[in-house]
Amino acid sequence: MPRKLAAGNWKMNGLRANLTELIKLEEKHADADVDILICPPATLIDRCQDTPFDIGGQDCHAAIGGAHTGDLSADMLADAGASYVLTGHSERRTDHGETDEMIAAKTQAAYDAGLIAVICIGETLAEREGGTTLDVIDTQLAGSIPDEADNENTVIAYEPVWAIGTGKVPTLDQIAEVHGHIRARLQQRFSDANEMRIIYGGSVKPSNAAEIFSVANVDGALVGGASLKAADFSPIITALENA
Ligand code: PGA
């Protein structure tokens, strides 16, 4: 069984004052027997170094450096103290036109910098309703995971786009189907696929975390809104520890 992962994605939220939430989390979860990852805005990565949690970036550039105003390289994130980075989040795919090819290049840059990549995939509502979810997943898996991926440098996050920030969650059967499908596809390509973590994201809350974590092949969660407050994220971490 892979070691479970509770990941918080703060997105474009968080000022220095919000770091008190991490102190509250630390009081309860400093010695958690699951991995806890916080992806704050990049401006706060350096300031999170005193926490016992893993810290991650939310995106990186594919290049190691150069004339890319406003971007951050994977090396810079690592230098600031990150050990993880999200790649291919649907908000990056939508807001910044990121393609699977770009995401594979960013993920490779993450590996080269020694970071663990959390590669995000997931279908839109139109794709779900059109019955093409598994095809979309196949295309994203094939296009965005570099050949160097293994269970130590890669986590796959299944995040249905229509579930992100909407309060809508797939049924447990739907989650089981997609996670089982992802596991099978990884097994075709990677010898250590059973040890690769596949986490679910999209409207995970204290109220639904335990049932989501009971689903086969769900090795944790990528949590947006409910990761901003310790009062919400803490019961999710506890549910994962008890799963
Ligand atoms: P949400 O976001 O938990 O607010 O739905 C999840 C994500 O986008 O990673």
Side-chain angles (χ1 to χ4, degrees):
M1 287 277 282
R3 191 170 156 85
K4 294 186 172 129
L5 174 64
N9 171 15
W10 282 15
K11 309 191 180 186
M12 200 172 72
N13 301 292
L15 302 174
R16 280 181 289 169
N18 300 98
L19 294 174
T20 53
E21 295 300 322
L22 297 186
I23 295 167
K24 289 185 215 160
L25 266 191
E26 184 175 346
E27 283 163 11
K28 284 198 175 167
H29 301 286
D31 301 313
D33 58 13
V34 298
D35 288 343
I36 300 175
L37 165 65
I38 305 290
C39 299
T43 47
L44 294 180
I45 290 174
D46 184 43
R47 290 182 184 267
C48 290
Q49 294 314 304
D50 292 339
T51 75
F53 309 126
D54 290 322
I55 302 301
Q58 299 175 7
D59 172 54
C60 65
H61 197 280
I64 201 161
H68 304 289
T69 301
D71 280 315
L72 295 171
S73 72
D75 260 6
M76 291 169 182
L77 298 175
D79 185 52
S83 50
Y84 283 75
V85 64
L86 308 181
T87 57
H89 190 281
S90 71
E91 287 150 18
R92 301 287 317 173
R93 292 178 187 259
T94 305
D95 295 356
H96 300 272
E98 292 190 7
T99 62
D100 288 331
E101 195 183 3
M102 291 162 73
I103 292 156
K106 286 169 181 246
T107 302
Q108 184 62 50
Y111 298 164
D112 294 344
L115 298 178
I116 300 169
V118 180
I119 306 173
C120 305
I121 58 173
E123 81 285 2
T124 64
L125 186 59
E127 290 161 345
R128 164 68 61 182
E129 289 177 347
T132 58
T133 296
L134 297 183
D135 298 329
V136 171
I137 296 294
D138 282 347
T139 302
Q140 292 175 333
L141 285 173
S144 55
I145 309 181
D147 289 335
E148 264 181 49
D150 62 31
N151 69 321
E152 290 185 352
N153 64 18
T154 301
V155 176
I156 305 297
Y158 169 55
E159 297 203 300
V161 178
W162 53 274
I164 295 175
T166 59
K168 292 185 192 144
V169 180
T171 65
L172 300 186
D173 284 348
Q174 288 172 326
I175 295 175
E177 180 189 33
V178 178
H179 277 244
H181 183 84
I182 294 170
R183 180 77 67 203
R185 282 287 178 264
L186 294 175
Q187 283 165 343
Q188 290 170 343
R189 211 172 140 196
F190 301 105
S191 58
D192 59 359
N194 289 344
E195 297 303 314
M196 279 186 176
R197 292 178 291 185
I198 307 172
I199 62 177
Y200 168 80
S203 295
V204 176
K205 305 274 183 257
S207 56
N208 61 20
E211 59 178 22
I212 292 171
F213 296 148
S214 73
V215 175
N217 292 303
V218 174
D219 303 311
L222 180 55
V223 184
S227 71
L228 293 172
K229 294 271 179 242
D232 296 324
F233 199 34
S234 171
I236 294 172
I237 294 168
T238 302
L240 188 59
E241 288 186 290
N242 293 336

